[in-house]
PDB file of all heavy atoms in Angstrom:
ATOM      1  N   PRO A  40     -54.737  19.535 -15.186  1.00 87.00           N
ATOM      2  CA  PRO A  40     -54.736  19.772 -16.633  1.00 87.00           C
ATOM      3  C   PRO A  40     -54.008  18.691 -17.430  1.00 87.00           C
ATOM      4  O   PRO A  40     -54.427  18.345 -18.543  1.00 87.00           O
ATOM      5  CB  PRO A  40     -54.014  21.120 -16.774  1.00 87.00           C
ATOM      6  CG  PRO A  40     -54.109  21.766 -15.445  1.00 87.00           C
ATOM      7  CD  PRO A  40     -54.171  20.669 -14.446  1.00 87.00           C
ATOM      8  N   MET A  60     -67.729   1.916 -35.672  1.00 83.00           N
ATOM      9  CA  MET A  60     -69.010   1.840 -34.963  1.00 83.00           C
ATOM     10  C   MET A  60     -69.782   3.160 -35.025  1.00 83.00           C
ATOM     11  O   MET A  60     -70.909   3.245 -34.543  1.00 83.00           O
ATOM     12  CB  MET A  60     -68.764   1.461 -33.494  1.00 83.00           C
ATOM     13  CG  MET A  60     -68.175   0.064 -33.334  1.00 83.00           C
ATOM     14  SD  MET A  60     -67.550  -0.205 -31.680  1.00 83.00           S
ATOM     15  CE  MET A  60     -69.084  -0.428 -30.806  1.00 83.00           C
ATOM     16  N   ARG A  89     -62.293   5.475  -7.235  1.00 64.00           N
ATOM     17  CA  ARG A  89     -63.221   5.982  -6.243  1.00 64.00           C
ATOM     18  C   ARG A  89     -62.751   5.769  -4.803  1.00 64.00           C
ATOM     19  O   ARG A  89     -62.913   6.618  -3.946  1.00 64.00           O
ATOM     20  CB  ARG A  89     -64.592   5.344  -6.416  1.00 64.00           C
ATOM     21  CG  ARG A  89     -65.629   6.146  -5.694  1.00 64.00           C
ATOM     22  CD  ARG A  89     -67.017   5.606  -5.819  1.00 64.00           C
ATOM     23  NE  ARG A  89     -67.259   4.752  -6.959  1.00 64.00           N
ATOM     24  CZ  ARG A  89     -68.434   4.184  -7.157  1.00 64.00           C
ATOM     25  NH1 ARG A  89     -69.415   4.399  -6.336  1.00 64.00           N
ATOM     26  NH2 ARG A  89     -68.622   3.387  -8.176  1.00 64.00           N
ATOM     27  N   PRO A 104     -78.579  30.939  -1.295  1.00 81.00           N
ATOM     28  CA  PRO A 104     -79.341  31.624  -2.357  1.00 81.00           C
ATOM     29  C   PRO A 104     -78.568  31.670  -3.666  1.00 81.00           C
ATOM     30  O   PRO A 104     -77.329  31.726  -3.670  1.00 81.00           O
ATOM     31  CB  PRO A 104     -79.549  33.040  -1.777  1.00 81.00           C
ATOM     32  CG  PRO A 104     -78.555  33.171  -0.689  1.00 81.00           C
ATOM     33  CD  PRO A 104     -78.286  31.814  -0.168  1.00 81.00           C
ATOM     34  N   LEU A 169     -70.802  25.098  -5.394  1.00 89.00           N
ATOM     35  CA  LEU A 169     -70.503  26.052  -6.475  1.00 89.00           C
ATOM     36  C   LEU A 169     -71.071  27.436  -6.159  1.00 89.00           C
ATOM     37  O   LEU A 169     -70.419  28.461  -6.398  1.00 89.00           O
ATOM     38  CB  LEU A 169     -71.081  25.542  -7.795  1.00 89.00           C
ATOM     39  CG  LEU A 169     -70.182  24.610  -8.601  1.00 89.00           C
ATOM     40  CD1 LEU A 169     -70.904  24.122  -9.855  1.00 89.00           C
ATOM     41  CD2 LEU A 169     -68.878  25.306  -9.002  1.00 89.00           C
TER      42      LEU A 169
END
Side-chain angles (χ1 to χ4, degrees):
Chain A
M60 295 167 75
R89 197 179 338 178
L169 273 177

